[in-house]
mmCIF file of all heavy atoms in Angstrom:
data_model
loop_
_atom_site.group_PDB
_atom_site.id
_atom_site.type_symbol
_atom_site.label_atom_id
_atom_site.label_comp_id
_atom_site.label_asym_id
_atom_site.label_seq_id
_atom_site.Cartn_x
_atom_site.Cartn_y
_atom_site.Cartn_z
ATOM 1 N N ASN Q 165 -132.213 57.944 -39.707
ATOM 2 C CA ASN Q 165 -131.519 58.921 -40.518
ATOM 3 C C ASN Q 165 -130.433 58.277 -41.452
ATOM 4 O O ASN Q 165 -130.346 58.703 -42.584
ATOM 5 C CB ASN Q 165 -130.848 59.940 -39.654
ATOM 6 C CG ASN Q 165 -131.910 60.946 -38.960
ATOM 7 O OD1 ASN Q 165 -133.043 61.029 -39.379
ATOM 8 N ND2 ASN Q 165 -131.558 61.683 -37.974
ATOM 9 N N LYS Q 166 -129.716 57.303 -40.748
ATOM 10 C CA LYS Q 166 -128.650 56.604 -41.618
ATOM 11 C C LYS Q 166 -129.357 55.779 -42.657
ATOM 12 O O LYS Q 166 -128.919 55.708 -43.833
ATOM 13 C CB LYS Q 166 -127.853 55.725 -40.706
ATOM 14 C CG LYS Q 166 -126.566 56.439 -40.246
ATOM 15 C CD LYS Q 166 -125.612 55.373 -39.690
ATOM 16 C CE LYS Q 166 -124.221 56.019 -39.548
ATOM 17 N NZ LYS Q 166 -123.254 55.123 -38.885
ATOM 18 N N ALA Q 167 -130.476 55.163 -42.266
ATOM 19 C CA ALA Q 167 -131.165 54.389 -43.356
ATOM 20 C C ALA Q 167 -131.656 55.221 -44.498
ATOM 21 O O ALA Q 167 -131.443 54.836 -45.618
ATOM 22 C CB ALA Q 167 -132.441 53.672 -42.606
ATOM 23 N N PHE Q 168 -132.193 56.338 -44.142
ATOM 24 C CA PHE Q 168 -132.666 57.314 -45.190
ATOM 25 C C PHE Q 168 -131.498 57.685 -46.161
ATOM 26 O O PHE Q 168 -131.652 57.674 -47.404
ATOM 27 C CB PHE Q 168 -133.305 58.536 -44.495
ATOM 28 C CG PHE Q 168 -134.002 59.474 -45.480
ATOM 29 C CD1 PHE Q 168 -135.106 59.152 -46.225
ATOM 30 C CD2 PHE Q 168 -133.406 60.705 -45.811
ATOM 31 C CE1 PHE Q 168 -135.708 59.893 -46.997
ATOM 32 C CE2 PHE Q 168 -134.093 61.588 -46.631
ATOM 33 C CZ PHE Q 168 -135.197 61.153 -47.303
ATOM 34 N N GLU Q 169 -130.325 58.016 -45.585
ATOM 35 C CA GLU Q 169 -129.202 58.439 -46.368
ATOM 36 C C GLU Q 169 -128.745 57.309 -47.300
ATOM 37 O O GLU Q 169 -128.445 57.654 -48.504
ATOM 38 C CB GLU Q 169 -128.003 58.687 -45.407
ATOM 39 C CG GLU Q 169 -127.893 60.051 -44.871
ATOM 40 C CD GLU Q 169 -126.743 60.183 -43.829
ATOM 41 O OE1 GLU Q 169 -125.659 59.717 -44.079
ATOM 42 O OE2 GLU Q 169 -127.004 60.691 -42.763
ATOM 43 N N TYR Q 170 -128.718 56.160 -46.901
ATOM 44 C CA TYR Q 170 -128.273 55.013 -47.698
ATOM 45 C C TYR Q 170 -129.369 54.740 -48.807
ATOM 46 O O TYR Q 170 -128.979 54.490 -49.963
ATOM 47 C CB TYR Q 170 -128.092 53.738 -46.919
ATOM 48 C CG TYR Q 170 -126.685 53.785 -46.290
ATOM 49 C CD1 TYR Q 170 -126.606 53.695 -44.890
ATOM 50 C CD2 TYR Q 170 -125.442 53.850 -46.951
ATOM 51 C CE1 TYR Q 170 -125.315 53.827 -44.231
ATOM 52 C CE2 TYR Q 170 -124.263 53.883 -46.446
ATOM 53 C CZ TYR Q 170 -124.181 53.748 -45.062
ATOM 54 O OH TYR Q 170 -122.906 53.897 -44.464
ATOM 55 N N PHE Q 171 -130.662 54.851 -48.445
ATOM 56 C CA PHE Q 171 -131.731 54.675 -49.434
ATOM 57 C C PHE Q 171 -131.636 55.722 -50.567
ATOM 58 O O PHE Q 171 -131.742 55.367 -51.754
ATOM 59 C CB PHE Q 171 -133.043 54.679 -48.857
ATOM 60 C CG PHE Q 171 -133.449 53.421 -48.052
ATOM 61 C CD1 PHE Q 171 -134.220 53.508 -46.912
ATOM 62 C CD2 PHE Q 171 -133.027 52.174 -48.402
ATOM 63 C CE1 PHE Q 171 -134.658 52.434 -46.236
ATOM 64 C CE2 PHE Q 171 -133.322 51.043 -47.711
ATOM 65 C CZ PHE Q 171 -134.091 51.202 -46.569
ATOM 66 N N GLN Q 172 -131.306 56.957 -50.162
ATOM 67 C CA GLN Q 172 -131.156 58.013 -51.249
ATOM 68 C C GLN Q 172 -129.952 57.764 -52.005
ATOM 69 O O GLN Q 172 -130.123 58.046 -53.229
ATOM 70 C CB GLN Q 172 -130.977 59.341 -50.459
ATOM 71 C CG GLN Q 172 -132.260 59.892 -49.910
ATOM 72 C CD GLN Q 172 -132.138 61.401 -49.326
ATOM 73 O OE1 GLN Q 172 -131.234 61.645 -48.657
ATOM 74 N NE2 GLN Q 172 -132.982 62.256 -49.738
ATOM 75 N N LYS Q 173 -128.855 57.307 -51.510
ATOM 76 C CA LYS Q 173 -127.759 56.978 -52.318
ATOM 77 C C LYS Q 173 -128.042 55.926 -53.289
ATOM 78 O O LYS Q 173 -127.630 55.965 -54.520
ATOM 79 C CB LYS Q 173 -126.542 56.528 -51.472
ATOM 80 C CG LYS Q 173 -125.816 57.622 -50.694
ATOM 81 C CD LYS Q 173 -124.665 57.078 -49.909
ATOM 82 C CE LYS Q 173 -123.830 58.171 -49.182
ATOM 83 N NZ LYS Q 173 -122.693 57.621 -48.540
ATOM 84 N N ALA Q 174 -128.793 54.855 -52.868
ATOM 85 C CA ALA Q 174 -129.111 53.780 -53.757
ATOM 86 C C ALA Q 174 -130.074 54.278 -54.909
ATOM 87 O O ALA Q 174 -129.843 53.956 -56.060
ATOM 88 C CB ALA Q 174 -129.782 52.657 -52.997
ATOM 89 N N LYS Q 175 -130.976 55.165 -54.553
ATOM 90 C CA LYS Q 175 -131.987 55.741 -55.466
ATOM 91 C C LYS Q 175 -131.257 56.497 -56.460
ATOM 92 O O LYS Q 175 -131.572 56.396 -57.754
ATOM 93 C CB LYS Q 175 -132.943 56.644 -54.745
ATOM 94 C CG LYS Q 175 -133.957 57.333 -55.710
ATOM 95 C CD LYS Q 175 -134.872 58.269 -54.968
ATOM 96 C CE LYS Q 175 -135.665 59.204 -55.914
ATOM 97 N NZ LYS Q 175 -136.148 58.704 -57.073
ATOM 98 N N ARG Q 176 -130.316 57.287 -56.159
ATOM 99 C CA ARG Q 176 -129.533 58.063 -57.241
ATOM 100 C C ARG Q 176 -128.874 57.184 -58.278
ATOM 101 O O ARG Q 176 -128.944 57.505 -59.443
ATOM 102 C CB ARG Q 176 -128.529 59.061 -56.464
ATOM 103 C CG ARG Q 176 -129.114 60.318 -55.933
ATOM 104 C CD ARG Q 176 -127.941 61.317 -55.550
ATOM 105 N NE ARG Q 176 -127.188 60.876 -54.410
ATOM 106 C CZ ARG Q 176 -127.502 61.132 -53.185
ATOM 107 N NH1 ARG Q 176 -128.668 61.754 -52.855
ATOM 108 N NH2 ARG Q 176 -126.783 60.793 -52.246
#
Side-chain angles (χ1 to χ4, degrees):
N165 289 343
K166 264 196 166 172
F168 186 71
E169 275 175 45
Y170 281 117
F171 286 146
Q172 282 187 313
K173 286 181 174 185
K175 177 184 165 43
R176 279 193 290 273

